[in-house]
C-alpha cells in the first residue's frame, strides 16, 4: 500500500493527547500481562498491544452521543473512549468498582454512559446490535453514529454479512471498523479468507469503503472523522478498513508457536504505532519519559485501586438478570 | 363485547401500542405489503408506513440483532420471526446477546425487545416448519417466555410483553389464529407471570399450553361425563412461571397432568412436573403424567403427523391413568 | 537489589509447568527479554524470557515440575547476596490461592443457601395426612391406618420407617462396661432409632402407678397346664391375656395421643419384649382379647423363635397398642418402663418373689404401669391397673 506522506496538521495539544492515550493503553496492557502472569487475574485476557492507534484514532473522533461495540480485545477501545483505568482494572479484578461491576470481566467491559455498548466474546456478536442502534438513531432522526469494531476473523461469520447487508439496505448511520491485523487467533488471513482484500466484502454489499494505515494514529483519526461524518450526514454506513498489527499473542500466555518469530520481531521494530508516532512528530526521550511516567503512575494506581476494591457478595450473582 | 380472532387480537395489541408510542415499531420478513405470512400485520403498513412496519431480508441473525440494538437505545422493537423453527438461526443473538447484556454490564443496559413467532402442527408443514421450541428459551436466564392460548390472553399478554423491559419470546400458535372469542372492549393488560384457570375442577389438574389448552378443555368435558372433575390450568407465561397458582391447583386436586404440543422428552412439562413434586409432594396421590409429541421429527404424511402430535384423547387417557392410581 | 524469577501463569488454567532446560547458567549476564529457560506446559514447550536484566545469580530449580508462582531463580547484580529461596509456592497474590479463596467463598455461600421453608403444622394441610408414597403403600398393604401414626419425616411426614417401626420398642437394657480398655461400640441404625425414640418418649408427660399382685392362682394355673407334649405356658402369656382383657374393659388405656385426637383402638394388640439378635424387640400378639391362652402361648412361641433366628416379619412388630415388659427372668423385682410411643401405656413386671403378707407368705409380683398423661387420666389408669391385679389374682374372672 502506497504511503501518502501528509503534513501533520495536529495541534501540540492533540499530539500530547494522542501520545498519552496510546501510552496509557500500552502501559495498561503491559501491566495486565504482568498481573496475569502473577496469577492475580482470573479468566482470559486479550491485550491490544500494537493496535493502540486504531482505538485512539477512532475513539478520539467520536461525538458525545455516538455508541460503539467492541470485541474480546476491548481494553484499548474502552480506555480510549474515556473509561478510567481504575474502573477497567477493577473490572479485570472482578470488583464491584469495575465498569461492569464484576459481572463481565475483560471480554464484557461496558460503559454505557460513554456509549460503550460492550465488549463481546462471540466473534461478530456485537455487529447486529450496531445496525440496530444506527436504525434507532435514524428513526428518531438523531445525529448519532453507531460504530462496530471487529477483526479480520469476524468477516467470515454470519453476523458480519447480515449486519452489513441490512445496514446498507436501510442506509443507517453506522461505521464498521475492520481492525485487520491479519490473524484470527492462530490462523493467518491467507488460511481463513479466499480473498486478499477484505474490503471487497463490504463493496459486495454496495457499502462505501475507506482504508487507512492503522499504525498511524493521525491518519486513523482523520479518516475516521470522514467516515463518521459520512454516516452522520445520512449518506449511509461506511466500512473502515484499518490495516494494523497484533504485536503480541492472541491471549496472554500465547506462545505464538504458529508465528514466525523473526517476522514478529521485525513488526515490533518497524510497525509499533507509538514508535512511529514519536518519529513522525519528533518527540524527544525527555518528553516521552514525562508522559510515560505519569501514565505508569496512573496504571500502578489502578492496580492498587483494584486490589483494594470490594468483592461482590456471592448472592449478587442473582441480581441484574432481569430489569 | 366484540368477537375477535386470535390473529386480530395480536394485531390489535400491535396497533394500539404503535399508535400510543412512537418508540414501538415492527420488523420481520414479509410483514409489510403482504401483512405477514400468517396475516397478522395486515393493514399495518397503510396505517404506520414503511419506516415503522419494516420488511426485512431473510436474515434472522440481523433482524433479531438489530432489534436488540434498537431496544438498547430505548426503542421498543417487535421482531417477527416467521416460524419458530427459525429462531434457531438467531439463537446466538437471543441467547448470548439479548439475554445477557443487562447482566454482563452489571445492570447498565436493558433490552426491551419482543420477538413474536409462531409454530404448530396439523397441516403437514413438515419437520422444519412446525416445531414447538419454547422449552429451550425457558432454560436461559435473562429471557422471558410467553405462550397465550386465547384471543383475550394473547392481546393482554402481548401488550405486557411489549412494555416489559426484558427480552420476551412471545409464542403464538398457528392453529389458533382463527379462534374467535368475545374480548373486552378495552385492551386489558395481563401481567406476565400469571397463570389462569380455564376450567375449575377437583379431581385432577391439567396444566396445558397453547393448542393443548383447547384439547384439554375438550378432554375435560368428556371426563366430566364419566364423573371425573378436571381443572384446566394454563400458565400463559412459561418464564417466569406462576408457581403459586400451579401449586394451589394441584394441592386442591391432588393429581396432575401436563400437556403441550412440544415433544414430551425434556419439554416444558418436565419442569412443571419437577416443580409440582418439589412443592406439593405430600399432596400428590398419583405420579404426574405428561402429554406431548412423540420423540420424532414431525413427519409430512398426514397419517403420521397425527400419530406423532398429541390430541384431546391423549389428554383424556392421561387423566384416566392418573385417576386410576392411588 | 536482586529479583526473584517466579514461574509465570502463561495461560488460563495453568497451575504448574515443567522446566526443561536453562538457557543461561549461573553467573551469566541476562538481558530483559532474552530467552532464559525452556518450559513445558500441557499445551506446548516454549522459551520463557527474562523479566529483568542483570546477572543470573542463582538457579533455584534446575528442572522438573514447579507450581505457578514459585521462585525458580534469582537475577541481580554481580556479587550481590542471594536471598534464601525457600520452597514457598503459596504467596500473597500468587496464582490459584488468591482467587481460590474467592471461589471457596462463593461455593460455601451457595451451600448455605437453603430455602428455609416454613414448617407446616401437621394439621395445616386440610386434614390430609402427610405420608410418602412408599409409606402409603406399606400401610395399604397391611391395612394400617396412617392417621394413627406420627411421622418422623420432614414436616411431620410419615415415611416408610415410621410405618414399619410402629411396633419396635425401646427398653432399658443394662450394659456393663468391660474392665480394662474402653471398648467402643459403633452405633447401628437400630440403636440410633432406639435412642431417638426413647428420647421422644421421654418427653411425653407421664405418670406411673404401681400395684402388687398375688400370683398364687396364676402359678397354680400354669402348673395345671404343664404337660410334656403340649405348648409351654408362661407368666407372660397369662399377662398378655389379662392385660388384653383389661384393655377391652378400659378402652381409654388402649389408646394413642395424636395432635388432632385421641385414638381408641378396637382391639388389644399386646406387645411383649423379646430378645432378638439385634437387641430387644417388641413382638405383637394381635387381637389378644379374642385369643385363648393356648393360642397366645402358641403365637408367643412362634414369634420368639422368629426373633431368636432373626427372622422377624414386619407384621410381628407393627400395630401394637400396649406393651408388657417383663424383667422377672432377671430377678428384677420392680422397675419403670419407658413408654413405647405412640402407645399410651406400658406395664413393667418384675420377678415373682415370696413375700410375707398379712395372709402369710405369698408369691408377689410387682406391676409398674406408665401412662401418657395426655391421653389417659389417673382414674381410668388406676381402674385399669386394678383390673389387671384382680384378674391375675382371680384368673377365673376372665372366663
Amino acid at each position: 500500500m502506497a504511503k501518502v506522506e501528509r503534513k501533520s496538521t495536529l495541534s501540540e495539544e492533540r499530539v500530547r493527547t494522542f501520545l498519552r492515550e496510546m501510552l496509557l493503553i500500552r502501559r495498561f496492557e503491559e501491566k495486565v500481562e504482568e498481573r496475569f502472569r502473577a496469577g492475580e487475574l482470573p479468566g482470559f485476557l486479550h491485550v491490544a498491544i500494537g493496535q493502540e492507534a486504531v482505538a485512539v484514532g477512532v475513539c478520539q473522533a467520536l461525538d458525545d452521543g455516538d455508541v460503539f461495540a467492541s470485541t474480546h480485545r476491548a481494553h484499548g477501545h474502552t480506555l480510549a473512549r474515556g473509561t478510567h483505568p481504575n474502573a477497567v482494572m477493577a473490572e479485570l479484578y472482578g470488583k464491584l468498582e469495575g465498569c461492569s461491576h464484576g459481572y463481565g470481566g475483560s471480554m464484557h467491559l461496558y460503559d454505557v454512559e460513554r456509549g460503550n455498548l460492550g465488549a463481546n466474546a462471540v466473534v461478530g456478536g456485537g455487529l447486529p446490535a450496531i445496525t440496530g442502534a444506527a436504525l434507532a438513531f435514524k428513526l428518531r432522526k438523531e445525529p448519532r453514529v453507531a460504530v462496530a469494531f471487529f477483526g479480520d476473523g469476524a468477516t467470515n461469520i454470519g453476523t458480519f454479512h447480515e449486519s452489513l447487508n441490512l445496514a446498507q439496505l436501510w442506509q443507517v448511520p453506522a461505521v464498521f471498523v475492520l481492525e485487520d491485523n491479519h490473524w484470527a487467533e492462530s490462523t493467518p488471513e491467507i488460511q481463513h479468507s479466499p480473498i486478499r482484500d477484505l474490503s471487497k466484502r463490504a463493496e459486495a454489499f454496495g457499502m462505501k469503503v475507506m482504508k487507512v494505515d492503522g499504525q498511524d494514529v493521525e491518519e486513523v483519526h482523520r479518516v475516521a472523522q470522514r467516515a463518521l461524518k459520512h454516516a452522520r450526514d445520512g449518506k449511509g454506513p461506511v466500512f473502515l478498513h484499518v490495516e494494523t498489527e497484533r504485536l503480541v499473542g492472541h491471549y496472554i500466555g500465547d506462545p505464538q508457536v504458529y508465528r514466525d518469530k523473526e517476522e514478529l520481531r521485525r513488526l515490533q521494530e518497524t510497525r509499533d504505532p507509538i514508535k512511529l508516532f514519536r518519529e513522525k512528530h519528533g518527540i524527544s526521550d525527555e518528553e516521552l519519559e514525562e508522559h510515560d511516567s505519569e501514565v505508569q503512575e496512573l496504571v500502578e494506581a489502578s492496580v492498587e485501586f483494584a486490589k483494594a476494591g470490594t468483592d461482590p457478595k456471592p448472592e449478587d450473582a442473582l441480581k441484574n438478570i432481569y430489569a | 363485547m366484540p368477537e375477535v380472532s386470535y390473529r386480530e387480537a395480536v394485531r390489535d395489541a400491535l396497533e394500539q401500542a404503535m399508535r400510543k408510542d412512537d418508540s414501538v415499531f415492527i420488523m420481520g420478513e414479509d410483514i409489510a405489503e403482504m401483512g405477514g405470512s400468517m396475516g397478522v400485520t395486515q393493514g399495518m403498513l397503510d396505517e404506520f408506513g414503511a419506516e415503522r412496519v419494516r420488511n426485512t431480508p431473510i436474515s434472522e441473525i440481523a433482524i433479531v440483532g438489530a432489534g436488540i440494538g434498537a431496544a438498547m437505545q430505548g426503542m421498543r422493537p417487535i421482531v417477527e420471526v416467521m416460524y419458530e423453527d427459525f429462531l434457531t438461526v438467531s439463537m446466538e443473538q437471543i441467547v448470548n446477546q439479548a439475554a445477557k447484556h443487562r447482566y454482563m454490564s452489571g445492570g447498565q443496559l436493558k433490552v426491551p425487545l419482543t420477538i413474536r413467532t409462531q409454530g404448530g402442527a396439523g397441516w403437514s408443514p413438515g419437520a422444519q416448519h412446525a416445531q414447538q421450541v419454547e422449552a429451550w428459551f425457558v432454560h436461559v436466564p435473562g429471557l422471558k417466555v410467553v405462550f397465550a392460548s386465547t384471543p383475550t390472553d394473547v392481546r393482554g399478554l402481548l401488550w405486557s410483553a411489549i412494555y416489559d423491559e426484558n427480552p420476551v419470546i412471545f409464542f403464538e400458535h398457528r392453529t389458533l389464529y382463527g379462534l374467535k372469542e368475545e374480548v373486552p372492549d378495552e385492551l386489558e393488560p395481563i401481567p406476565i407471570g400469571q397463570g389462569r384457570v380455564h376450567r375449575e375442577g377437583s379431581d385432577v389438574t391439567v396444566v396445558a399450553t397453547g393448542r393443548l389448552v383447547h384439547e384439554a378443555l375438550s378432554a375435560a368435558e368428556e371426563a366430566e361425563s364419566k364423573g371425573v372433575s378436571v381443572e384446566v390450568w394454563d400458565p400463559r407465561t412459561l418464564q417466569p412461571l406462576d408457581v403459586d397458582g400451579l401449586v394451589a391447583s394441584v394441592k386442591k386436586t391432588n393429581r396432575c397432568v401436563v400437556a403441550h404440543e412440544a415433544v414430551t422428552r425434556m419439554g416444558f412439562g418436565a419442569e412443571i412436573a419437577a416443580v409440582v413434586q418439589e412443592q406439593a409432594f405430600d399432596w400428590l396421590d398419583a405420579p404426574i403424567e405428561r402429554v406431548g409429541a412423540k420423540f420424532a421429527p414431525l413427519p409430512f404424511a398426514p397419517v403420521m403427523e397425527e400419530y406423532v402430535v398429541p390430541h384431546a384423547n391423549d389428554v383424556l387417557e392421561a387423566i384416566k391413568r392418573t385417576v386410576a392410581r392411588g | 537489589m536482586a529479583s526473584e524469577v517466579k514461574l509465570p501463569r502463561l495461560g488460563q488454567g495453568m497451575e504448574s509447568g515443567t522446566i526443561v532446560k536453562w538457557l543461561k547458567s549461573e553467573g551469566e549476564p541476562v538481558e530483559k527479554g532474552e530467552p532464559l529457560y525452556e518450559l513445558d506446559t500441557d499445551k506446548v514447550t516454549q522459551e520463557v524470557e527474562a523479566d529483568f536484566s542483570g546477572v543470573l545469580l542463582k538457579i533455584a530449580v534446575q528442572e522438573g515440575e514447579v507450581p505457578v508462582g514459585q521462585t525458580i531463580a534469582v537475577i541481580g547484580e554481580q556479587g550481590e547476596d542471594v536471598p534464601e529461596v525457600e520452597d514457598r509456592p503459596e504467596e500473597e497474590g500468587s496464582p490459584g490461592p488468591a482467587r481460590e479463596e474467592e471461589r471457596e467463598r462463593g461455593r460455601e455461600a451457595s451451600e448455605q443457601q437453603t430455602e428455609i421453608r416454613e414448617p407446616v403444622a401437621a394439621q395445616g394441610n386440610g386434614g390430609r395426612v402427610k405420608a410418602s408414597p412408599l409409606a402409603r403403600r406399606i400401610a395399604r398393604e397391611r391395612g394400617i391406618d396412617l392417621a394413627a401414626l406420627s411421622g418422623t419425616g420432614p414436616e411431620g411426614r410419615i415415611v416408610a420407617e415410621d410405618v414399619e417401626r410402629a411396633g419396635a420398642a425401646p427398653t432399658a437394657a443394662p450394659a456393663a462396661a468391660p474392665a480394662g480398655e474402653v471398648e467402643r461400640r459403633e452405633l447401628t441404625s437400630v440403636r440410633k432409632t432406639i435412642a431417638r425414640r426413647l428420647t421422644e418418649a421421654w418427653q411425653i408427660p407421664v405418670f406411673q402407678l404401681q400395684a402388687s399382685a398375688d400370683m398364687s392362682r396364676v402359678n397354680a394355673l400354669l402348673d395345671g397346664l404343664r404337660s410334656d407334649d403340649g405348648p409351654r405356658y408362661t407368666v407372660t402369656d397369662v399377662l398378655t391375656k389379662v392385660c388384653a382383657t383389661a384393655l377391652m374393659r378400659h378402652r381409654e388405656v388402649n389408646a394413642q395421643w395424636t395432635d388432632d385426637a385421641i385414638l381408641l383402638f378396637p382391639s388389644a394388640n399386646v406387645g411383649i419384649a423379646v430378645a432378638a439378635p439385634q437387641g430387644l424387640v417388641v413382638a405383637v400378639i394381635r387381637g389378644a382379647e379374642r385369643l385363648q391362652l393356648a393360642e397366645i402361648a402358641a403365637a408367643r412361641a412362634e414369634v420368639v423363635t422368629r426373633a431368636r433366628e432373626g427372622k422377624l416379619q414386619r407384621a410381628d412388630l407393627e400395630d401394637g397398642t400396649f406393651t408388657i415388659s417383663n424383667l422377672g427372668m432377671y430377678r428384677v423385682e420392680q422397675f419403670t418402663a419407658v413408654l413405647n410411643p405412640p402407645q399410651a401405656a406400658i406395664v413393667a413386671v418384675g420377678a415373682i418373689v415370696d413375700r410375707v403378707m398379712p395372709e402369710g407368705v405369698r408369691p408377689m409380683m410387682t406391676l409398674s404401669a406408665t401412662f401418657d398423661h395426655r391421653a389417659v387420666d389417673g382414674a381410668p389408669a388406676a381402674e385399669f391397673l386394678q383390673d389387671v391385679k384382680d384378674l391375675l389374682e382371680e384368673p377365673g374372672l376372665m372366663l
Side-chain angles (χ1 to χ4, degrees):
Chain A
M1 187 168 67
K3 206 155 174 244
V4 178
E5 288 286 349
R6 254 174 220 279
K7 229 178 90 172
S8 173
T9 51
L10 287 183
S11 64
E12 264 192 46
E13 204 197 307
R14 248 304 149 59
V15 170
R16 273 198 295 277
T17 305
F18 282 7
L19 180 65
R20 277 186 66 104
E21 290 293 307
M22 288 197 291
L23 270 174
L24 176 61
I25 298 173
R26 176 66 57 92
R27 296 305 177 218
F28 185 94
E29 299 291 60
E30 286 170 349
K31 179 60 68 175
V32 163
E33 279 189 334
E34 183 198 288
R35 292 294 92 213
F36 178 86
R37 285 182 213 271
E40 289 171 13
L41 302 175
F44 350 41
L45 289 156
H46 309 83
V47 294
I49 293 173
Q51 296 175 214
E52 296 89 346
V54 185
V56 174
V58 174
C59 289
Q60 286 283 320
L62 297 175
D63 274 2
D64 280 338
D66 294 343
V67 301
F68 70 93
S70 175
T71 64
H72 52 283
R73 198 177 301 284
H75 307 169
H77 308 131
T78 305
L79 289 166
R81 188 63 176 128
T83 304
H84 198 283
N86 283 359
V88 183
M89 191 62 83
E91 185 60 33
L92 302 188
Y93 273 83
K95 305 291 181 180
L96 281 177
E97 293 84 355
C99 54
S100 301
H101 309 303
Y103 284 85
S106 172
M107 292 191 292
H108 305 297
L109 299 173
Y110 289 73
D111 189 349
V112 176
E113 258 182 55
R114 290 186 173 77
N116 182 339
L117 299 180
N120 215 302
V122 179
V123 172
L127 270 67
I130 288 302
T131 297
L135 174 65
F137 299 155
K138 181 174 167 138
L139 287 175
R140 293 198 300 223
K141 303 182 173 31
E142 291 167 357
R144 298 162 70 184
V145 180
V147 175
F149 288 102
F150 53 94
D152 43 292
T155 64
N156 295 310
I157 206 166
T159 52
F160 170 84
H161 298 277
E162 294 202 19
S163 304
L164 266 65
N165 185 55
L166 200 58
Q168 179 65 15
L169 183 67
W170 287 349
Q171 291 288 289
V172 296
V175 175
F176 294 96
V177 181
L178 166 59
E179 285 186 81
D180 191 353
N181 64 16
H182 313 292
W183 287 94
E185 186 155 3
S186 71
T187 310
E189 210 167 286
I190 43 167
Q191 277 184 33
H192 73 61
S193 169
I195 58 171
R196 297 279 61 73
D197 181 3
L198 296 177
S199 53
K200 291 229 185 308
R201 291 181 165 171
E203 281 172 18
F205 295 113
M207 193 178 290
K208 174 140 186 84
V209 171
M210 295 184 189
K211 296 189 186 196
V212 70
D213 173 6
Q215 306 311 82
D216 182 338
V217 65
E218 205 187 328
E219 277 302 293
V220 173
H221 183 252
R222 194 182 59 78
V223 178
Q225 281 179 320
R226 275 182 48 218
L228 288 161
K229 180 167 185 349
H230 188 275
R232 209 183 303 281
D233 286 349
K235 297 189 182 146
V238 176
F239 185 82
L240 179 52
H241 187 169
V242 182
E243 295 277 349
T244 183
E245 303 294 345
R246 191 188 81 197
L247 297 178
V248 286
H250 169 68
Y251 57 87
I252 301 180
D254 178 3
Q256 299 192 85
V257 293
Y258 47 82
R259 212 167 172 181
D260 185 313
K261 295 294 189 286
E262 276 313 306
E263 173 63 12
L264 180 57
R265 274 187 237 283
R266 187 187 70 78
L267 290 171
Q268 286 166 343
E269 280 307 304
T270 61
R271 294 283 285 153
D272 182 325
I274 296 176
K275 274 201 189 122
L276 291 171
F277 189 71
R278 279 193 65 194
E279 280 162 23
K280 186 171 178 186
H281 293 276
I283 294 168
S284 65
D285 286 345
E286 292 78 37
E287 219 190 314
L288 180 73
E289 182 52 38
E290 196 194 307
H291 291 295
D292 206 3
S293 58
E294 274 174 43
V295 158
Q296 295 204 43
E297 256 181 59
L298 207 58
V299 170
E300 288 290 343
S302 77
V303 174
E304 291 314 307
F305 176 84
K307 283 182 166 171
T310 324
D311 280 334
K313 294 198 288 293
E315 317 75 73
D316 285 346
L318 300 180
K319 297 189 186 143
N320 292 317
I321 301 173
Y322 290 101
Chain B
M1 292 206 295
E3 222 195 37
V4 158
S5 72
Y6 187 99
R7 172 188 290 112
E8 287 162 343
V10 173
R11 186 184 314 137
D12 194 14
L14 292 173
E15 286 173 343
Q16 289 198 41
M18 284 179 63
R19 283 174 203 142
K20 165 180 179 287
D21 197 342
D22 276 341
S23 72
V24 180
F25 69 98
I26 56 177
M27 44 184 185
E29 295 161 16
D30 304 308
I31 62 165
E33 284 82 358
M34 187 173 139
S37 65
M38 299 293 145
V40 173
T41 52
Q42 261 170 34
M44 289 182 72
L45 175 65
D46 288 339
E47 184 177 346
F48 300 102
E51 287 285 285
R52 296 178 71 200
V53 178
R54 306 192 140 241
N55 259 2
T56 64
I58 302 172
S59 343
E60 278 74 11
I61 295 173
I63 300 167
V64 168
I68 294 169
M72 293 204 297
Q73 295 305 318
M75 300 194 78
R76 291 189 185 278
I78 302 159
V79 162
E80 179 176 305
V81 173
M82 200 193 282
Y83 285 85
E84 61 187 271
D85 316 69
F86 308 147
L87 288 170
T88 52
V89 179
S90 55
M91 275 307 246
E92 190 278 320
Q93 289 288 302
I94 296 172
V95 171
N96 287 337
Q97 312 295 334
K100 296 177 168 70
H101 274 302
R102 180 168 186 75
Y103 193 75
M104 296 193 297
S105 68
Q108 292 174 65
L109 285 170
K110 283 188 310 211
V111 184
L113 169 69
T114 305
I115 298 175
R116 279 184 47 247
T117 186
Q118 62 82 30
W123 51 296
S124 279
Q128 295 174 340
H129 275 76
Q131 292 170 89
Q132 297 274 278
V133 298
E134 66 279 5
W136 299 345
F137 299 93
V138 174
H139 193 58
V140 179
L143 297 179
K144 292 194 178 177
V145 181
V146 174
F147 193 6
S149 63
T150 69
T152 308
D153 285 351
V154 84
R155 185 173 71 164
L157 281 165
L158 181 53
W159 183 271
S160 297
I162 294 168
Y163 285 97
D164 195 293
E165 304 290 36
N166 298 284
V168 179
I169 318 290
F170 191 86
F171 288 93
E172 295 160 16
H173 199 283
R174 191 193 206 286
T175 64
L176 296 179
Y177 279 125
L179 177 73
K180 285 188 188 225
E181 90 178 345
E182 277 189 7
V183 304
D185 286 323
E186 293 295 309
L187 190 159
E188 287 161 11
I190 293 171
I192 291 197
Q194 192 189 85
R196 171 184 167 181
V197 176
H198 282 272
R199 181 196 170 101
E200 277 189 34
S202 55
D203 292 328
V204 53
T205 298
V206 175
V207 178
T209 57
R211 176 176 70 86
L212 270 282
V213 168
H214 304 280
E215 300 294 311
L217 287 168
S218 206
E221 277 297 313
E222 179 72 34
E224 181 86 52
S225 70
K226 306 238 161 64
V228 177
S229 164
V230 176
E231 176 148 305
V232 177
W233 188 81
D234 178 359
R236 302 192 293 188
T237 301
L238 308 188
Q239 164 58 27
L241 178 65
D242 179 2
V243 176
D244 289 341
L246 171 65
V247 170
S249 178
V250 177
K251 281 187 175 176
K252 189 176 75 163
T253 63
N254 306 125
R255 289 181 183 79
C256 182
V257 169
V258 53
H260 51 58
E261 187 179 297
V263 171
T264 307
R265 185 171 307 171
M266 283 295 279
F268 183 67
E271 176 70 18
I272 295 278
V275 168
V276 168
Q277 70 86 31
E278 273 164 19
Q279 309 257 0
F281 184 71
D282 296 298
W283 281 260
L284 284 173
D285 263 336
I288 300 165
E289 293 281 338
R290 292 185 295 168
V291 174
K294 297 187 177 60
F295 192 65
L298 203 69
F300 166 72
V303 60
M304 289 201 287
E305 187 189 53
E306 289 303 297
Y307 176 74
V308 166
V309 157
H311 306 283
N313 232 36
D314 299 296
V315 182
L316 186 61
E317 287 306 304
I319 289 169
K320 285 183 191 164
R321 282 194 302 271
T322 191
V323 166
R325 278 171 147 136
Chain C
M1 211 204 48
S3 310
E4 287 179 33
V5 177
K6 300 197 169 83
L7 200 86
R9 188 156 85 107
L10 293 176
Q12 187 227 359
M14 176 179 161
E15 307 208 332
S16 66
T18 304
I19 297 177
V20 175
K21 180 170 92 180
W22 284 89
L23 302 169
K24 295 271 179 184
S25 1
E26 279 184 14
E28 257 194 82
V30 170
E31 281 290 309
K32 177 173 170 174
E34 263 195 284
L36 187 58
Y37 60 97
E38 263 177 36
L39 183 73
D40 206 10
T41 63
D42 41 318
K43 285 196 183 160
V44 78
T45 304
Q46 60 182 94
E47 288 177 354
V48 180
E49 291 146 15
D51 287 327
F52 323 100
S53 297
V55 173
L56 181 57
L57 295 175
K58 183 178 171 63
I59 293 175
V61 180
Q62 194 60 41
E63 60 182 272
E65 198 175 343
V66 177
V68 170
Q70 186 170 319
T71 301
I72 52 174
V74 180
I75 291 175
E77 273 162 55
Q78 187 79 53
E80 241 192 285
D81 279 332
V82 176
E84 269 311 304
V85 176
E86 304 136 29
D87 203 323
R88 34 188 174 111
E90 240 90 322
E91 278 192 19
E92 242 283 306
S94 79
R99 304 324 301 223
E100 189 49 39
E101 184 269 324
E102 288 162 60
R103 292 190 181 280
E104 186 61 46
R105 258 190 289 138
R107 283 192 288 267
E108 273 170 23
S110 174
E111 282 158 32
Q112 278 158 27
Q113 194 232 7
T114 39
E115 287 193 12
I116 298 158
R117 295 199 200 148
E118 290 300 311
V120 176
Q123 59 261 56
N125 51 353
R128 197 182 154 80
V129 176
K130 285 190 180 184
S132 79
L134 181 59
R136 287 179 188 278
R137 173 160 69 80
I138 297 171
R140 189 173 59 239
E141 284 168 359
R142 296 188 205 152
I144 293 170
D145 181 11
L146 281 175
L149 303 178
S150 59
T152 59
E155 293 170 21
R157 181 186 300 150
I158 298 167
V159 292
E161 191 190 278
D162 298 317
V163 182
E164 286 175 25
R165 291 202 191 286
T171 46
E181 237 183 73
V182 175
E183 186 188 326
R184 188 183 157 80
R185 291 204 182 150
E186 296 302 326
L187 300 173
T188 62
S189 67
V190 173
R191 187 124 301 272
K192 285 183 192 171
T193 304
I194 290 172
R196 190 190 67 218
R197 301 188 81 249
L198 276 172
T199 308
E200 283 166 22
W202 200 247
Q203 286 157 9
I204 296 169
V206 300
F207 65 98
Q208 284 125 16
L209 299 176
Q210 256 173 267
S212 312
D214 180 339
M215 296 297 276
S216 323
R217 294 292 177 107
V218 173
N219 283 347
L221 175 67
L222 290 175
D223 282 337
L225 290 170
R226 223 180 296 276
S227 76
D228 286 330
D229 42 37
R232 227 189 95 230
Y233 291 87
T234 66
V235 171
T236 303
D237 297 330
V238 176
L239 269 168
T240 303
K241 180 71 188 170
V242 162
C243 288
T245 307
L247 286 168
M248 289 297 98
R249 294 182 191 172
H250 302 276
R251 298 278 305 290
E252 320 81 66
V253 178
N254 196 38
Q256 238 178 63
W257 169 263
T258 70
D259 285 333
D260 296 303
I262 292 170
L263 308 173
L264 307 175
F265 296 99
S267 191
N269 298 337
V270 178
I272 52 182
V274 179
Q278 69 265 38
L280 224 50
V281 294
V282 175
V284 176
I285 313 279
R286 291 164 187 269
E289 76 282 3
R290 298 189 295 271
L291 298 177
Q292 303 287 349
L293 194 64
E295 290 168 303
I296 290 176
R300 190 250 324 130
E302 272 171 40
V303 96
V304 164
T305 307
R306 280 204 289 279
R308 297 232 174 93
E309 290 170 4
K311 287 184 183 158
L312 282 173
Q313 297 157 10
R314 281 189 183 142
D316 295 326
L317 300 171
E318 291 174 340
D319 299 333
T321 62
F322 180 82
T323 301
I324 299 172
S325 191
N326 186 347
L327 289 180
M329 67 290 269
Y330 300 103
R331 294 193 285 177
V332 170
E333 287 161 21
Q334 184 233 317
F335 70 103
T336 303
V338 179
L339 273 184
N340 185 13
Q343 295 168 15
I346 185 169
V347 72
V349 305
I352 302 174
V353 174
D354 282 336
R355 288 202 196 284
V356 176
M357 305 295 282
E359 312 79 75
V361 175
R362 289 281 186 267
M364 299 302 285
M365 185 177 79
T366 307
L367 303 114
S368 306
T370 308
F371 299 90
D372 179 347
H373 213 331
R374 301 171 304 176
V376 186
D377 287 338
E383 283 168 18
F384 163 79
L385 193 62
Q386 178 75 32
D387 240 357
V388 170
K389 175 189 156 89
D390 288 343
L391 287 170
L392 284 171
E393 293 180 342
E394 191 50 76
L397 291 173
M398 283 193 291
L399 306 166

